[in-house]
Amino acid sequence: MRLRHRPDPIGHDVVVVGAPYDGGTSYRPGARFAPRAIRHESSLIHGVGIDRGPGVFDRIDVVDGGDIDLSPFSMDLAMDTATVALTRLLERNDAFLMLGGDHSLSLAALRAVHARHGRVAVLHLDAHSDTNPPVYGGTYHHGTPFRWAIEEGLVDPERLVQVGIRGHNPRPDSLDYARGHGVSIVTAADFTRRSPRGIAEQIRRTVGGLPLYVSVDIDVVDPAYAPGTGTPAPGGLSSREVLTLLDVVGQLRPVGFDVVEVSPAYDPSGITSLLAAEIGAELLYQYARATTSPASAPVDSPLPPGAAADDAENAENAVDAVDAESAVDFAGQRWG
């Protein structure tokens, strides 16, 4: 995004950081090359986005902190290194946008965020729930991060919303752990039956006033739009649907982000990395909305645990009460 490179960043609003690691992948490797590919495709992302209001980088201070040096051989060492590096970032800066790398490193990110903010809410966009147990001796594979985040008390599971879940699983009970802990799951089939605005309202009500971490696995998008990923699953969301859904983040209290599971070798065209860069830009824009626009104040009072997830119809109907014109910034320009 033509950002300044700061290898040891201090005092910034958001630090973009690469996590070149794929030691937790279970099918197609290559996500270690994603940070450089995403950066390459981000060259056109600068200035003011159409319909995005003021320039993001005029509102918030964002730098590129480079990559974390992660072991390609040891899951445990990679996880510890990432946890220390991201925790240090948040001790010196306000938030980070991590470019993965496989999804296992979201656990390191959540550990770092928890050290600063306590238990957080999570918006998780993915084809897979990633609440599986260890397999083949792999404690921290890319199907485990949100299971460990729940077990370690890093997240409030009743404030965890997973969107786009679909595909094939090794067991018919693969979602039982998440649902049994109160996680709200919006499958890809659910998404097609409901409006994006209704789902966004469910997210807003479920997350409430908690600090929010947003994790986007690129395979939430249909492989027709993003073929360069390790575990592609047909029947996913479109690029436009994902970018539209992320608009809700600017109405909440975002404190950290990741975009993961891009595997550039499986997409010579680069459209997967381009989409990942655009998602990253959208998350930065939403952070700017949430932190600099008084018209986009976070929700103060969440519903009782599980209320929004248990009553999807009420969440859908509640959209009518949302003021669609409320997202206007203090300069009179529309914030998305």
Side-chain angles (χ1 to χ4, degrees), residues 155-168:
V155 307
D156 181 346
E158 293 185 331
R159 299 283 182 257
L160 168 54
V161 185
Q162 300 184 323
V163 179
I165 308 302
R166 64 188 187 280
H168 302 274

Side-chain angles (χ1 to χ4, degrees), residues 68 70 77-89 105 107-109 111-112:
I68 307 171
L70 296 168
L77 179 57
M79 189 63 64
D80 290 346
T81 302
T83 300
V84 170
L86 294 171
T87 300
R88 179 180 171 86
L89 272 182
L105 292 183
L107 175 60
R111 287 173 173 173

Side-chain angles (χ1 to χ4, degrees), residues 180-265:
H181 284 78
V183 175
S184 298
I185 296 177
V186 180
T187 67
D190 294 334
F191 195 95
T192 63
R193 289 191 290 263
R194 300 173 55 197
S195 75
R197 287 187 64 200
I199 294 168
E201 177 63 10
Q202 177 184 343
I203 293 167
R204 188 184 68 82
R205 289 162 58 86
T206 302
V207 167
L210 264 64
L212 174 67
Y213 187 82
V214 182
S215 181
V216 181
D217 185 323
I218 202 69
D219 72 24
V220 70
V221 183
D222 192 281
Y225 302 92
T229 189
T231 49
L237 280 60
S238 71
S239 303
R240 183 183 296 121
E241 286 170 335
V242 168
L243 293 169
T244 299
L245 188 63
L246 290 176
D247 186 71
V248 72
V249 174
Q251 303 171 43
L252 301 168
R253 291 180 56 200
V255 294
F257 314 97
D258 66 54
V259 183
V260 297
E261 294 287 345
V262 172
S263 188

Side-chain angles (χ1 to χ4, degrees), residues 2-286:
R2 308 187 189 188
L3 297 171
R4 295 165 293 159
H5 178 214
R6 293 289 185 269
D8 191 19
I10 300 175
H12 303 286
D13 293 322
V14 185
V15 177
V16 179
V17 60
Y21 175 76
D22 57 11
T25 54
S26 59
Y27 188 48
R28 304 195 307 196
R32 71 181 67 185
F33 301 110
R36 73 174 67 172
I38 296 170
R39 285 188 176 99
H40 176 74
E41 296 296 344
S42 74
S43 300
L44 285 176
I45 298 175
H46 61 96
V48 180
I50 300 299
D51 292 332
R52 277 183 176 164
V56 173
F57 301 136
D58 295 329
R59 296 295 189 192
I60 58 174
D61 177 21
V62 186
V63 297
D64 189 329
D67 287 352
I68 307 171
D69 186 11
L70 296 168
S71 169
F73 305 117
S74 168
M75 282 185 177
D76 292 329
L77 179 57
M79 189 63 64
D80 290 346
T81 302
T83 300
V84 170
L86 294 171
T87 300
R88 179 180 171 86
L89 272 182
L90 286 188
E91 289 171 348
R92 298 175 160 205
N93 306 275
D94 288 339
F96 60 77
L97 165 62
M98 182 176 71
L99 305 178
D102 74 51
H103 218 156
S104 63
L105 292 183
S106 290
L107 175 60
L110 286 166
R111 287 173 173 173
V113 169
H114 179 267
R116 175 163 177 171
H117 297 282
R119 289 178 65 174
V120 297
V122 176
L123 173 59
H124 171 208
L125 275 59
D126 201 329
H128 312 94
S129 177
D130 291 353
T131 52
N132 292 298
V135 293
Y136 295 118
T139 303
Y140 300 120
H141 64 79
H142 66 167
T144 60
F146 297 102
R147 187 187 190 97
W148 293 134
I150 292 171
E151 294 288 332
E152 294 180 16
L154 309 178
V155 307
D156 181 346
E158 293 185 331
R159 299 283 182 257
L160 168 54
V161 185
Q162 300 184 323
V163 179
I165 308 302
R166 64 188 187 280
H168 302 274
N169 291 287
R171 305 179 317 278
D173 63 349
S174 61
L175 296 180
D176 286 1
Y177 178 89
R179 287 176 169 151
H181 284 78
V183 175
S184 298
I185 296 177
V186 180
T187 67
D190 294 334
F191 195 95
T192 63
R193 289 191 290 263
R194 300 173 55 197
S195 75
R197 287 187 64 200
I199 294 168
E201 177 63 10
Q202 177 184 343
I203 293 167
R204 188 184 68 82
R205 289 162 58 86
T206 302
V207 167
L210 264 64
L212 174 67
Y213 187 82
V214 182
S215 181
V216 181
D217 185 323
I218 202 69
D219 72 24
V220 70
V221 183
D222 192 281
Y225 302 92
T229 189
T231 49
L237 280 60
S238 71
S239 303
R240 183 183 296 121
E241 286 170 335
V242 168
L243 293 169
T244 299
L245 188 63
L246 290 176
D247 186 71
V248 72
V249 174
Q251 303 171 43
L252 301 168
R253 291 180 56 200
V255 294
F257 314 97
D258 66 54
V259 183
V260 297
E261 294 287 345
V262 172
S263 188
Y266 296 96
D267 177 13
S269 72
I271 61 172
T272 309
S273 298
L274 177 63
L275 176 58
E278 189 67 29
I279 289 171
E282 182 67 30
L283 291 169
L284 292 175
Y285 163 61
Q286 296 301 333

